[in-house]
């Protein structure tokens, strides 16, 4: 089975290509390096011990799809390629609507034109906003989006669902990721944040590495056990494996339509202070931090109920928060040494 991975040089895409290979799938990657580097391809090749089939191209261009689909017989697509900076999406919404939504519509049109019927889509727990009850299940309501980025995930989920409804043999799954962190334990691939990281773990590791000032903990007056906000941090390798499980489920569907969506998290909520403590335990290093005001737009707490993905995808996490933070630190050390 040959799987096309859009955004295959990116953080989650690169780890997923490795897990697809481990599971016996052939892969074809497409990326335009708008938020990644060619070294990620070399890293993947070193881990899997063979060359990858790679196309440099913009998935917002019809010509990219025509070239890919005329040269490769693709059985399914995992669609990671998108922009993901929440703050930038507020400042430049059209950049996000074009790259995340228009390119997804074009992909679906091209899938229809070339008869490619299986799709896994990268969605986000951002679709839940602040859920009324925790842990959040897939039956929780989708809330009005807090940012253009979040809106692109909601709209793409709806576009994909409607495409399945209208198309006799189309199979698709949306995976709602919680907070992916960490890196492959080979430290040959990992996350490459551009500029000052907005996300907790890359800022923390850069701070400890001396590249940034002390970590600002955004708010300690939330209604949580220690007052800091709670999230569900998942190791990127566990997240990558969920895509293999999702593809296996899609590929064994009988003729006819299939659409479903799944939470992909650990099921455990961790506060910002929990992350700091776990990082210190994993590395033996001290985190220099200070409490700052809440960050605008942040929800208090969100973590996943993964019963549905455990039962239907047959997937569960294997790594701990400490594993993920240790791997994130090893990756950070490697980046400093470059
Ligand atoms: P990433 O930026 O590391 O990877 C995305 C990749 O897509 C990059 O390599 C980028 O160069 C490529 N790309 C972007 N636009 C493209 C285009 N038009 N044509 C070709 N390539 C293009 O991001 P990531 O963290 O790996 O996220 C992957 C997906 O998961 C995204 O859709 C993101 O919205 C979603 N997601 C990420 C998180 C997270 O916290 N990282 C959480 C939930 C959902
Ligand atoms: C986590 C916690 C911060 C930085 C974002 C997107 C979401 C998804 C994942 C793509 C929060 C606190 C952070 C810092 C801090 N991405 N924090 N100091 O906000 O849960 O989710 O990434 O879909 O859509 O919104 O992740 O890592 O930014 O923050 O105290 O310097 O860490 O306030 O409580 P978030 P995050």
């Amino acid at each position: 089975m040959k799987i096309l991975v859009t955004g295959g040089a990116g953080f989650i895409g690169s780890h997923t290509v490795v897990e697809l290979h481990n599971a016996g799938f052939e892969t074809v990657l497409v990326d335009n390096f708008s938020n990644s580097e060619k070294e990620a391809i070399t890293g993947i090749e070193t881990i899997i011990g063979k060359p990858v089939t790679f196309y440099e191209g913009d998935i917002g261009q019809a010509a990219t799809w025509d070239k890919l689909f005329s040269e490769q017989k693709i059985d399914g697509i995992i669609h990671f390629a998108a922009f993901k900076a929440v703050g930038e999406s507020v400042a430049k919404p059209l950049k996000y609507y074009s790259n995340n939504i228009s390119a997804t519509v074009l992909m679906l049109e091209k899938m229809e034109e070339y008869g490619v019927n299986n799709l896994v889509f990268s969605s986000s727990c951002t679709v839940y906003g602040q859920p009324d009850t925790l842990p959040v299940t897939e039956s929780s309501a989708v809330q009005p989006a807090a940012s253009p980025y979040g809106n692109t995930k909601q709209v793409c989920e709806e576009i994909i669902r409607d495409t399945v409804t209208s198309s006799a043999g189309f199979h698709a799954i949306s995976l709602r990721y919680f907070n992916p962190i960490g890196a492959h334990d080979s430290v040959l691939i990992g996350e490459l944040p551009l500029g000052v990281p907005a996300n907790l773990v890359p800022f923390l590791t850069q701070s400890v590495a001396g590249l940034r000032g002390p970590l600002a903990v955004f708010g300690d007056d939330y209604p949580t056990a220690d007052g800091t906000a709670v999230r569900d941090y998942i190791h990127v390798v566990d997240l990558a494996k969920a895509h293999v499980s999702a593809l296996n489920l899609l590929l064994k569907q009988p003729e006819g339509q299939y659409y479903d969506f799944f939470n992909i998290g650990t099921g455990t909520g961790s506060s910002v202070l929990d992350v700091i403590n776990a990082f210190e335990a994993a590395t033996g290093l001290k985190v220099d931090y200070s409490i700052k005001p809440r960050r605008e737009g942040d929800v208090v707490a969100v973590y996943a109920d993964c019963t549905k993905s455990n039962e239907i995808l047959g997937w569960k996490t294997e790594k701990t928060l400490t594993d993920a933070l240790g791997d994130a630190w090893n990756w950070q050390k490697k980046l400093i040494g470059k």
Side-chain angles (χ1 to χ4, degrees), residues 11-264:
F11 174 41
I12 307 168
S14 57
H15 291 81
T16 301
V17 171
V18 170
E19 296 310 322
L20 287 168
H21 169 81
N22 291 344
F25 287 97
E26 271 186 81
T27 55
V28 175
L29 282 64
V30 60
D31 205 299
N32 64 357
F33 299 112
S34 53
N35 197 37
S36 51
E37 289 180 2
K38 290 192 173 147
E39 267 184 82
I41 305 293
T42 324
I44 296 168
E45 291 179 333
T46 308
I47 294 169
I48 69 175
K50 62 177 197 185
V52 296
T53 307
F54 174 73
Y55 288 75
E56 183 166 353
D58 178 354
I59 56 128
Q61 303 291 323
T64 303
W65 292 105
D66 291 331
K67 184 169 170 58
L68 271 166
F69 285 148
S70 53
E71 292 182 5
Q72 303 286 342
K73 168 82 190 74
I74 300 295
D75 298 294
I77 299 182
I78 306 184
H79 179 40
F80 293 105
F83 294 143
K84 63 169 180 178
V86 175
E88 185 191 50
S89 80
V90 176
K92 298 179 181 167
L94 298 180
K95 176 176 174 182
Y96 279 68
Y97 289 133
S98 171
N99 200 49
N100 294 11
I101 299 179
S102 303
T104 299
V105 171
L106 177 64
M107 174 185 71
L108 291 164
E109 288 170 343
K110 290 293 176 184
M111 288 176 79
E112 199 169 79
E113 183 181 334
Y114 288 91
V116 179
N117 285 326
N118 296 297
L119 175 68
V120 180
F121 173 65
S122 296
S123 188
S124 168
C125 66
T126 190
V127 302
Y128 295 118
Q130 176 59 66
D132 294 335
T133 52
L134 288 170
V136 58
T137 70
E138 290 82 352
S139 52
S140 295
V142 167
Q143 305 281 350
S147 69
Y149 168 75
N151 203 26
T152 68
K153 293 294 156 189
Q154 295 188 7
V155 169
C156 284
E157 280 198 16
E158 288 168 8
I159 290 170
I160 291 165
R161 181 204 59 207
D162 292 346
T163 304
V164 170
T165 306
S166 71
S167 170
F170 203 80
H171 303 151
I173 286 177
S174 296
L175 297 180
R176 294 174 174 172
Y177 313 155
F178 282 67
N179 290 53
I181 61 166
H184 195 265
D185 59 12
S186 66
V187 294
L188 289 163
I189 50 174
E191 189 170 10
L192 286 177
L194 282 184
V196 182
N199 293 121
L200 175 62
V201 172
F203 192 98
L204 187 160
T205 58
Q206 289 193 9
S207 167
V208 175
L211 304 173
R212 307 276 166 212
L215 171 70
V217 173
F218 296 138
D220 69 347
D221 57 352
Y222 284 108
T224 61
D226 64 22
T228 65
V230 167
R231 300 287 185 275
D232 187 339
Y233 298 93
I234 176 170
H235 196 297
V236 64
V237 170
D238 279 333
L239 172 60
K241 288 178 179 170
H243 296 79
V244 175
S245 303
L247 258 183
N248 283 331
L249 182 62
L250 286 181
L251 293 170
K252 73 176 187 213
Q253 291 305 312
E255 289 295 302
Q257 298 140 320
Y258 174 85
Y259 177 71
D260 209 345
F261 48 90
F262 297 90
N263 287 345
I264 304 295

